Amino acid sequence: MLSVNLSIPVPADSVLISKIQLEELKKSQLQGVYWTMKDVQIHTNKKSEWIKENILYPTRFRKMLDSENGGFVYYPKSKGQTWSFQATKMAQFLDDNFDKIFA
């Protein structure tokens, strides 16, 4: 049996945290934040027309997304109103439904 004691220095400007803590930090950055359509475009790297056609308007997604159905996306009712997305929930939705969105 071989026993080894190894020291690995951590740079002064760095810290070690668990993956769970990292995920919690990422989520907390989005808590209480609302995205605009521009934010969704940035996070998906898609144009607003594509987002509307493939994510926001298809019935299979709209039922769960629309705030009128208890969802986390505000669909504008008239011209001049803007889209509003609960950032934490929209980010999770995009992650969870990647395969369905791009199928």
Side-chain angles (χ1 to χ4, degrees):
M1 179 183 274
L2 178 65
S3 178
V4 177
N5 189 4
L6 178 66
S7 292
I8 301 174
V10 176
D13 64 341
S14 300
V15 295
L16 292 177
I17 61 171
S18 71
K19 286 182 181 180
I20 293 170
Q21 288 172 312
L22 178 61
E23 289 304 314
E24 287 173 1
L25 284 171
K26 286 180 183 178
K27 286 180 185 176
S28 72
Q29 287 179 325
L30 295 178
Q31 284 186 319
V33 174
Y34 294 92
W35 283 348
T36 64
M37 179 59 81
K38 276 216 181 303
D39 296 315
V40 177
Q41 287 178 275
I42 290 166
H43 286 86
T44 60
N45 199 29
K46 297 290 184 187
K47 295 195 180 290
S48 65
E49 292 309 315
W50 188 95
I51 294 166
K52 290 174 190 175
E53 288 175 21
N54 294 280
I55 300 173
L56 299 172
Y57 289 139
T59 308
R60 69 182 190 269
F61 296 137
R62 184 165 183 163
K63 283 187 240 177
M64 63 179 111
L65 295 174
D66 197 330
S67 59
E68 288 192 352
N69 299 327
F72 44 89
V73 176
Y74 173 77
Y75 283 71
K77 307 280 185 275
S78 61
K79 201 167 182 82
Q81 289 185 326
T82 59
W83 291 86
S84 189
F85 306 82
Q86 248 184 313
T88 51
K89 293 181 180 179
M90 189 62 186
Q92 189 66 53
F93 172 83
L94 292 170
D95 285 344
D96 292 347
N97 293 283
F98 181 87
D99 59 331
K100 294 175 188 91
I101 292 168
F102 288 96

